Amino acid sequence: MSEIYAKIAGVGKYLPEKILDNAYFESIVDTSDEWITKRVGVKERRMSKPDEFSSDLGAKAARAALENAGMSAEDIELIILASVSPEMYTPSCSCMVQAKIGAKKAAAFDINAACSGFIFAASVANQFIKSGTYKNALVIGADTLTKITEYKDRATCVLFGDGAGAMVLTASGEKTGILGTVLGSDGASGNNLTCCGLKASAEDIERRPFSDNYRTIWMDGQAVFKFAVKTMESATQEVAEKAGVAIDEISLVIPHQANKRIIDGARRRLKLSEDRVFCNVEKYGNMSAACVPIALCEALEQGRVKEGEKLVIVGFGGGLTWGSALIEV
Ligand code: UT7
């Protein structure tokens, strides 16, 4: 039997309408448009409505991806959704999306690998397709970080936004689609980026002197920054090697969008010109698991990668985690 590959059949995205610009942050914390632009590269981010949650965003992105793939929700056999901000412990966000879009024949579950989540989800879906278990899978990254952001903390509040992106993967008998994946975790360094759930340790409480809401994101920005630049470089190189593809053959690298300086740092280490690395952090900020699929969707919409060309998606985040996938479109 010939080998099966998971190919991209369609992509979609959804971004809430409300825009938070840098002037808004100048009005609520001691910051400036100049600092945010220079140190992070963000100009605007989107904010979901109070009654709009990750499953709402995820369902809208999923519908757009299905339409782009020319498929109906009932064609989908597997839904994997990555999020750090699902609105419920149970049902899972993926089950809520399943109900919203009417994907009655699908098995659905969530993955939490923070900002690397979409790549972890795509990698798991790839395994199900390669094994012949399922033909059509829906992979979603959906996050509403503005609901878990402390707006008194200038070091984090300027960074985050909300959004969702989705991708339909379908089985192919030809060697195309996902040609390699790399996943990694370093739980021992997890303390560098936390958002409390049922438990808040003494350290977690001490680190958030601004408020008694410990269900907000805290991070050691510089530690995460260094880790991010290094792992984006190594995960890109490793996945290219694994797939037997030279860096020169990759048309576009689509990284997680946390900070323009992180993207530029990794780009320089990989010796790539600016046009070979996708960046939209200016428009949306860091949307955790939603960054990579939204960037992938926009890169394909803009024709930045054409049929038969190769791209790498690469990300890093809380856990700590990192991942990459080499994909021929
Ligand atoms: O998705 C994965 C998770 N997150 C990340 O990938 C983020 C990784 N880290 C970063 O992107 C950067 O470390 C930050 C953008 C978070 C911070 O930038 P930085 O250049 O590392 O700044 P810093 O933490 O070294 O702080 C430098 C100064 C400090 O002031 P002092 O102590 O030098 O007087 C901060 O208090 O900048 C100050 N600062 C600000 N100033 C104006 C921190 N945030 C702000 C702000 N506006 N919003």
Side-chain angles (χ1 to χ4, degrees):
M1 220 178 73
S2 67
E3 201 172 334
I4 306 172
Y5 290 86
K7 174 181 150 178
I8 301 180
V11 288
K13 63 172 182 178
Y14 176 73
L15 290 141
E17 277 162 38
K18 185 172 175 179
I19 293 174
L20 301 182
D21 61 12
N22 289 347
Y24 168 74
F25 288 94
E26 285 177 340
S27 76
I28 63 162
V29 287
D30 180 15
T31 190
S32 65
D33 174 46
E34 195 199 346
W35 191 95
I36 303 170
T37 307
K38 217 164 123 196
R39 307 303 295 170
V40 197
V42 180
K43 285 289 193 188
E44 293 179 349
R45 346 66 199 123
R46 300 301 176 98
M47 186 185 222
S48 50
K49 295 182 191 129
D51 62 350
E52 191 180 33
F53 295 93
S54 293
S55 76
D56 299 309
L57 274 52
K60 286 185 175 156
R63 282 195 200 102
L66 285 169
E67 194 184 327
N68 185 240
M71 285 189 198
S72 82
E74 297 217 6
D75 294 324
I76 298 298
E77 300 160 285
L78 175 70
I79 301 173
I80 311 181
L81 183 146
S83 184
V84 285
S85 50
E87 62 262 45
M88 304 281 288
Y89 288 131
T90 195
S92 66
C93 201
S94 52
C95 282
M96 293 175 81
V97 168
Q98 176 194 23
K100 286 188 167 119
I101 65 172
K104 292 185 189 127
K105 295 178 184 150
F109 62 90
D110 287 7
I111 279 186
N112 176 345
C115 307
S116 321
F118 180 80
I119 296 166
F120 274 65
S123 174
V124 175
N126 181 43
Q127 296 303 322
F128 274 112
I129 289 174
K130 286 192 91 56
S131 68
T133 311
Y134 298 122
K135 280 198 175 65
N136 298 322
L138 182 57
V139 185
I140 305 166
D143 266 304
T144 49
L145 293 190
T146 65
K147 290 182 166 51
I148 53 168
T149 292
E150 175 49 71
Y151 283 94
K152 293 189 195 101
D153 179 11
R154 70 172 182 174
T156 55
C157 71
V158 300
L159 306 174
F160 303 125
D162 301 339
M167 164 172 84
V168 177
L169 288 175
T170 193
S172 168
E174 282 166 43
K175 189 175 177 190
T176 182
I178 300 180
L179 301 179
T181 58
V182 166
L183 302 180
S185 305
D186 174 17
S189 303
N191 223 11
N192 286 320
L193 203 175
T194 62
C195 179
C196 301
L198 296 178
K199 178 190 157 193
S201 69
E203 190 186 11
D204 277 316
I205 292 168
E206 197 190 321
R207 282 164 160 184
R208 293 167 176 79
F210 307 97
S211 105
D212 57 3
N213 180 7
Y214 309 117
R215 294 185 183 193
T216 54
I217 304 167
W218 179 92
M219 70 180 160
D220 179 338
Q222 289 191 2
V224 178
F225 193 104
K226 284 180 204 146
F227 156 79
V229 176
K230 260 191 269 168
T231 49
M232 293 240 283
E233 180 200 12
S234 57
T236 303
Q237 272 167 346
E238 215 182 304
V239 81
E241 249 167 63
K242 222 169 152 178
V245 169
I247 296 282
D248 282 352
E249 293 174 64
I250 299 164
S251 299
L252 192 67
V253 173
I254 302 176
H256 172 52
Q257 308 282 318
N259 185 322
K260 176 85 165 63
R261 285 189 298 134
I262 293 178
I263 295 173
D264 284 342
R267 181 177 64 72
R268 280 193 290 268
R269 280 168 172 244
L270 288 161
K271 300 187 174 59
L272 295 171
S273 54
E274 254 184 272
D275 60 318
R276 285 176 65 202
V277 179
F278 191 84
C279 185
N280 63 2
V281 70
E282 186 182 327
K283 292 194 289 181
Y284 309 130
N286 184 347
M287 301 169 286
S288 196
C291 276
V292 168
I294 289 174
L296 173 66
C297 181
E298 293 194 344
L300 294 174
E301 278 170 1
Q302 293 165 17
R304 295 279 299 268
V305 196
K306 303 199 173 53
E307 209 177 320
E309 290 186 346
K310 295 178 180 67
L311 63 86
V312 164
I313 50 175
V314 58
F316 61 90
L320 299 177
T321 55
W322 62 93
S324 54
L326 193 143
I327 307 174
E328 184 181 289
V329 297

